[in-house]
Amino acid sequence: WKAKDRNELNKFMANLNLPGNTKLAILKNFDNGVGTLNNLKGRSQGEAKRISDEKKAAKRAELSNYLEKIGLNPTNRNGFLQRYDNAPNTMNAIKQNANTMANSIKKAKRNANLDEFGKYMSRIGLNNTNKNALMQSLSNTNVSLENMKARANGVLKNRIAEKRTEFSKFLGGLELSNANKNSILKQFDNDSSNIANLEKRATNLVNQRKREKRTANRNSLSNYVKTLNL
């Protein structure tokens, strides 16, 4: 009967897919009379469950790391992990679904960033040519919203520098004192968006100076004529 029970135990463990060293240890217990057939069957089932649980836990940990790596938030990760707990054999399908969700979230975030970036460029005063060029160059690249804003700020800084150079040349062509030119350039530095008003102010200032000069010359001539007693 012992040989029969041993064969039965061996076949029982084979169906449980136990590792070879575990089966040998249990068979050794049987040979040494440590435990009955039923007890050793129960032990075999316990070992099989432990091994299965360990494998499942390792795969669960691997899945959790994977879900975090692709950028899913805790709520979404827990949802997929719950699916794994309910059906551990669907790991590949779960990963595919998770990838689809992650890509959808990234796309939505990217579109939201591009929309916010467009509004930001309008707020800081970039023209349509600059806005379209920046949007085109950044729409297919994976950069953050802050990096996009930094790019826009760089373009704006260059545009302001170019406008200041042009405006300075404009002022240089007018009959303005250095004090007046520097005063108007300072106003430009404080707000470069009102360049049309500044040009108008500079022109009005020149015209005012001309009128004042003509009036002064006329008064001087009038006073001179009076001294001649004509």
Side-chain angles (χ1 to χ4, degrees):
W1 63 266
K2 192 169 184 177
K4 179 182 177 183
D5 285 353
R6 193 180 194 281
N7 287 335
E8 181 179 344
L9 177 60
N10 197 27
K11 290 179 181 179
F12 182 81
M13 290 190 293
N15 291 332
L16 296 176
N17 293 318
L18 287 175
N21 60 335
T22 301
K23 289 192 291 184
L24 288 175
I26 293 175
L27 286 173
K28 187 175 181 180
N29 287 158
F30 177 84
D31 293 339
N32 293 332
V34 181
T36 64
L37 174 62
N38 289 334
N39 288 338
L40 293 176
K41 281 184 176 181
R43 180 183 166 189
S44 300
Q45 289 176 319
E47 286 295 308
K49 184 178 185 307
R50 178 186 63 78
I51 293 170
S52 175
D53 289 345
E54 287 178 354
K55 288 181 178 179
K56 182 178 177 182
K59 288 185 177 180
R60 192 182 195 277
E62 175 196 340
L63 177 61
S64 180
N65 291 335
Y66 179 82
L67 297 174
E68 184 174 3
K69 183 178 179 180
I70 64 175
L72 293 183
N73 62 32
T75 299
N76 290 329
R77 293 202 301 267
N78 288 336
F80 284 113
L81 289 173
Q82 185 62 50
R83 282 181 54 185
Y84 173 80
D85 292 338
N86 294 334
N89 294 328
T90 59
M91 171 78 84
N92 290 336
I94 290 173
K95 284 186 175 181
Q96 290 177 358
N97 292 157
N99 285 331
T100 299
M101 175 181 284
N103 291 334
S104 177
I105 291 173
K106 288 177 182 177
K107 184 177 180 180
K109 183 178 181 180
R110 182 65 177 165
N111 290 337
N113 282 347
L114 289 173
D115 183 60
E116 170 58 26
F117 182 50
K119 293 176 182 177
Y120 178 78
M121 289 191 292
S122 296
R123 285 199 301 272
I124 65 176
L126 289 183
N127 59 34
N128 287 334
T129 300
N130 292 139
K131 288 193 288 186
N132 291 338
L134 280 169
M135 193 69 79
Q136 181 65 32
S137 67
L138 294 174
S139 60
N140 296 322
T141 56
N142 186 26
V143 295
S144 68
L145 179 59
E146 291 307 312
N147 285 338
M148 288 192 284
K149 288 182 177 179
R151 285 278 299 274
N153 290 338
V155 171
L156 177 64
K157 184 178 180 180
N158 290 337
R159 278 195 61 235
I160 291 175
E162 292 170 358
K163 286 171 64 178
R164 194 184 195 281
T165 299
E166 293 175 3
F167 186 50
S168 182
K169 290 179 181 179
F170 169 79
L171 295 177
L174 303 176
E175 296 179 5
L176 287 173
S177 67
N178 287 334
N180 286 332
K181 284 190 286 187
N182 291 335
S183 175
I184 294 174
L185 282 173
K186 186 175 182 180
Q187 293 181 55
F188 173 88
D189 292 337
N190 291 333
D191 184 5
S192 61
S193 65
N194 65 349
I195 191 169
N197 290 335
L198 293 177
E199 288 179 347
K200 183 178 180 180
R201 178 174 178 238
T203 302
N204 290 340
L205 192 57
V206 169
N207 292 333
Q208 180 184 339
R209 294 291 181 270
K210 287 180 179 179
R211 287 193 300 269
E212 291 173 351
K213 187 175 182 179
R214 284 197 300 269
T215 299
N217 289 339
R218 188 165 50 247
N219 289 339
S220 177
L221 178 60
S222 176
N223 291 334
Y224 176 73
V225 169
K226 289 178 181 179
T227 63
L228 296 177
N229 295 318
L230 297 177

